[in-house]
Amino acid sequence: MLDGCCPWPKELVDQYVSQGFWENYTLGDILDRTAWYFPKREALIGISPVNGETRDTYSELRSKVDHLALHLLRLGFKPNDRVILQLPNIPEFVYIYFALHRIGAIPVLCLPPHRLSEVGYIAQETDAIGYVIPSEFRGFDYLELAKEVQEKAPKLEKILVAGTDAPEGTIALAELLEDPLEDKYDEKYLKSFRPDPMNVAVFQLSGGTTGLQKVIPHTHNDYICCCKFSALMVGHNPYSAFLASAPIAHNFSLSAPGLHGTVYFGGKTVLALDASPETVMSLVEAEKITYLNGVPTMIINWLNYLEEAHLDLSALKVLAGGGFKVNAELGRRVKATFGFPVQQNFGMGEGFHACTRLDDPEERILGTQGQPLTPGDIVKVVDDDGVEVPRGEMGELWAKGPTVVRGYYNSEERNKEAFDPDGFYKTGDMVRQDSEGYLTLEGRNKDMINRGGEKISAEEIENLILGHPSVLNTAVVAMPDPLFGEKSCAYVILNTGKGLPFEDLKTFLLEKKIAKFKLPERLEVVEEFPLTSMAKVSKKELRADIAGKLDKENRDK
Ligand code: AMP
């Protein structure tokens, strides 16, 4: 494995391979294999900023990917080069993503809302040499962002643009897809770059629970294992059709089962440019989507829309919900609308996943987040001292297995806290496990806000707020929200004699070039913070305080 990564011990590698969890295929191989089985079957449908609606069969997809991969080699990209991908759900994401796998380079997956603060930091952390962007998306100029990132991360030499506007000094993906290659760049040459399946395939980003985001190295083996088991759980087959409406770079859309699982079983992937009910539901109908996933916020919007819209959604067999807890009420609404229950999904970038099975009893589907994904998973529910609690009692979930990484990239210190010496990842999620192994999420003991599936590290935002001249101290906490589940609220103590209008604080934070979803959505100015018995700020009390205020405000309306 790449230097700076934590490999699995040899006994586990042998075990995972001999038990068939790891197949020693690469992500490039699964595309190859499916293109060989089903060359004429539709593989990918999406809207390209250059060519408009695009429909690729598996054979066309593979040709584009291979052609692009050979161009990458011609341009000097090498195995293990890190290349940041920050693209919306457009076909070019899939072409370049698999092309990088073909040559053993490593996609680093940023999300479209990330800004200089996130991308600049990740570029430095990963020593990225390439950055793939749209020229523009939702009114934001990514070419300008690329220039700023390059100033922060001088190793970032190559900017690839998926769009019609690729200025001088950048590389236009559309041209690479068209331009012919010299004879030496042939299939045999490309095959010589096939990576080792134990190599890092992808750098995912952690939800960022302490300070800035951590880089999660997934190998081909563990990531393929995750997509295969996730796909089996939802009954994927060559006739499956997956609609990706959450960002394709996120774990849930990419590998649980996501794009990978659909390619693995030869189904088609349809890319939605946004998650609005109009876009999503019209695609579900037109493309006869069989599998759809989303966070509860998205699902609530879709269900509300379907109360009025009358569409033929009969092809849909599974609606998976995750990223944030799907409560029983929402589960029941899914059943009332579609006639089948929601599939509960609980997972994390670090690779642990649990889900309900399609034929689980209804009370388990409505009331739990299911069972661990693979029979190779080992979970423990522990108390504050890391000692296992009896079944049925609440504790922190620790997990290891063939889909769970053994450490963050280049993070020796953080790894000591986040992983135990036996390789268990300490998820920070508080759960109960019942006698049959079903897990129910009860809360978390990590300092994070889960805004409808988008994770915000309280510490990261607090550090920025502390830079404001009017602020003496701050604590950022989650406040309940009917649609997003949680939003963030900033409690601040001001320097004496100074005021702080909320708009000023937001402007100050936006000037730090952070993703917009991380902005606090309420400011509470206080004289002092409640303290715990250990004299730490009691975020529990602050959360209760803001929840009480919101409740009262709603009642007074
Ligand atoms: P991420 O790595 O961004 O996918 O975030 C992972 C975290 O999201 C988990 O550790 C949980 O805290 C939360 N999460 C994921 N799925 C669920 C779910 N189904 N219910 C509640 N929380 C979830």
Side-chain angles (χ1 to χ4, degrees):
M1 247 178 133
L2 189 71
D3 277 356
C5 296
C6 305
W8 280 261
K10 184 170 177 323
E11 324 79 81
L12 275 185
V13 174
D14 293 345
Q15 181 197 326
Y16 293 158
V17 170
S18 70
Q19 294 182 337
F21 295 119
W22 290 355
E23 300 178 18
N24 280 332
Y25 281 116
T26 67
L27 285 160
D29 295 341
I30 63 169
L31 173 60
D32 245 0
R33 190 173 60 177
T34 301
W36 189 83
Y37 288 142
F38 308 120
K40 301 273 183 312
R41 186 152 293 159
E42 270 195 317
L44 182 68
I45 294 156
I47 299 177
S48 152
V50 179
N51 301 312
E53 189 186 279
T54 310
R55 306 182 83 94
D56 292 307
T57 62
Y58 270 101
S59 140
E60 288 162 342
L61 176 59
R62 187 181 47 180
S63 302
K64 287 183 184 176
V65 164
D66 287 3
H67 191 75
L68 200 50
L70 286 164
H71 269 297
L72 293 178
L73 291 171
R74 178 187 62 77
L75 288 166
F77 284 89
K78 297 184 304 301
N80 284 335
D81 276 352
R82 268 78 76 187
V83 178
I84 298 177
L85 294 197
Q86 191 183 22
L87 290 177
N89 292 6
I90 54 176
E92 286 80 354
F93 175 96
V94 182
Y95 307 150
I96 185 81
Y97 177 73
F98 278 106
L100 291 167
H101 289 315
R102 271 279 193 267
I103 66 168
I106 304 174
V108 182
L109 299 177
C110 283
L111 300 175
H114 287 150
R115 294 293 177 256
L116 180 62
S117 169
E118 293 87 12
V119 186
Y121 167 77
I122 292 300
Q124 288 170 342
E125 284 292 291
T126 60
D127 284 328
I129 59 107
Y131 182 22
V132 191
I133 49 168
S135 37
E136 178 277 344
F137 182 62
R138 296 200 178 137
F140 182 76
D141 182 351
Y142 286 85
L143 292 165
E144 199 48 45
L145 172 61
K147 280 191 212 145
E148 293 173 337
V149 176
Q150 276 184 307
E151 273 167 32
K152 263 185 142 180
K155 289 192 186 151
L156 197 71
E157 299 159 22
K158 299 183 174 91
I159 308 296
L160 292 98
V161 181
T164 42
D165 176 20
E168 221 187 304
T170 66
I171 302 160
L173 276 187
E175 282 174 24
L176 298 186
L177 285 161
E178 293 295 324
D179 286 353
L181 284 149
E182 284 169 46
D183 288 351
K184 82 169 216 193
Y185 293 105
D186 62 7
E187 199 179 322
K188 190 165 162 230
Y189 181 66
L190 182 57
K191 283 210 163 128
S192 68
F193 287 86
R194 177 186 181 271
D196 181 333
M198 271 322 296
N199 248 10
V200 176
V202 175
F203 276 154
Q204 268 290 2
L205 303 186
S206 76
T209 51
T210 51
L212 289 161
Q213 293 188 295
K214 299 285 172 291
V215 177
I216 307 169
H218 280 290
T219 62
H220 293 271
N221 267 333
D222 80 79
Y223 230 15
I224 291 177
C225 177
C226 177
C227 83
K228 180 177 66 175
F229 276 83
S230 302
L232 285 167
M233 295 299 170
V234 297
H236 265 2
N237 62 45
Y239 304 98
S240 297
F242 160 52
L243 179 68
S245 56
I248 186 71
H250 189 275
N251 211 36
F252 200 13
S253 298
L254 188 68
S255 204
L259 171 72
H260 294 164
T262 312
V263 171
Y264 188 100
F265 282 95
K268 77 171 174 184
T269 299
V270 181
L271 302 172
L273 270 174
D274 65 76
S276 69
E278 293 79 6
T279 304
V280 170
M281 289 305 147
S282 63
L283 282 170
V284 171
E285 182 178 47
E287 298 295 342
K288 299 194 169 23
I289 295 301
T290 63
Y291 167 82
L292 175 67
N293 66 351
V295 294
T297 323
M298 290 155 67
I299 299 177
I300 294 168
N301 283 335
W302 298 337
L303 295 182
N304 290 346
Y305 174 77
L306 290 175
E307 283 179 4
E308 303 293 328
H310 298 288
L311 302 170
D312 175 7
L313 307 179
S314 54
L316 194 66
K317 299 288 176 287
V318 180
L319 172 57
F324 194 92
K325 192 160 170 168
V326 179
N327 61 31
E329 187 198 328
L330 183 56
R332 278 191 208 98
R333 275 190 78 192
V334 169
K335 177 131 192 223
T337 307
F338 292 103
F340 53 77
V342 73
Q343 190 225 10
Q344 293 263 4
N345 247 277
F346 159 46
M348 53 209 70
E350 288 78 0
F352 175 75
H353 288 268
C355 62
T356 50
R357 284 32 173 181
L358 297 183
D359 51 5
D360 266 337
E362 189 154 318
E363 78 274 6
R364 292 286 203 268
I365 291 179
L366 292 177
T368 79
Q369 278 59 58
Q371 302 186 65
L373 183 65
T374 85
D377 291 319
I378 304 177
V379 299
K380 288 206 266 192
V381 181
V382 303
D383 65 16
D384 288 348
D385 300 319
V387 177
E388 274 188 86
V389 299
R391 275 277 166 125
E393 281 187 22
M394 189 164 84
E396 184 185 351
L397 175 70
W398 289 11
K400 66 176 176 179
T403 64
V404 188
V405 300
R406 306 284 292 198
Y408 297 110
Y409 175 61
N410 268 349
S411 289
E412 221 176 301
E413 283 312 305
R414 176 76 187 115
N415 286 341
K416 281 185 203 149
E417 292 160 27
F419 294 82
D420 92 335
D422 283 336
F424 279 92
Y425 169 56
K426 305 176 184 175
T427 69
D429 290 311
M430 301 301 285
V431 302
R432 284 178 212 280
Q433 190 173 34
D434 70 17
S435 55
E436 289 179 47
Y438 289 81
L439 294 163
T440 303
L441 263 149
E442 303 285 3
R444 57 175 179 263
N445 68 358
K446 50 190 172 188
D447 203 2
M448 173 189 99
I449 293 108
N450 189 345
R451 187 185 187 275
E454 303 211 81
K455 313 301 181 319
I456 304 163
S457 153
E459 189 184 321
E460 178 189 351
I461 305 305
E462 286 162 2
N463 286 339
L464 295 176
I465 295 178
L466 280 174
H468 193 286
S470 302
V471 173
L472 184 65
N473 203 355
T474 181
V476 173
V477 296
M479 60 181 177
D481 180 83
L483 185 58
F484 288 90
E486 292 175 12
K487 284 183 173 176
S488 72
C489 170
Y491 277 83
V492 297
I493 300 175
L494 295 178
N495 283 315
T496 40
K498 301 211 170 153
L500 178 59
F502 189 22
E503 284 309 310
D504 286 7
L505 177 65
K506 286 198 276 190
T507 310
F508 173 81
L509 290 173
L510 278 179
E511 278 164 6
K512 305 284 172 201
K513 305 207 170 175
I514 55 169
K516 229 174 165 174
F517 69 81
K518 295 182 180 174
L519 284 182
E521 284 163 269
R522 178 156 171 150
L523 171 66
E524 288 289 312
V525 177
V526 292
E527 299 280 307
E528 54 185 16
F529 291 141
L531 298 179
T532 65
S533 55
M534 308 294 281
K536 284 170 69 176
V537 176
S538 171
K539 290 203 163 179
K540 197 170 158 200
E541 280 184 55
L542 291 177
R543 280 192 294 268
D545 179 65
I546 189 66
K549 283 194 173 123
L550 287 170
D551 197 35
K552 180 167 180 315
E553 285 167 12
N554 282 335
R555 274 186 281 115
D556 291 348
K557 264 185 199 162

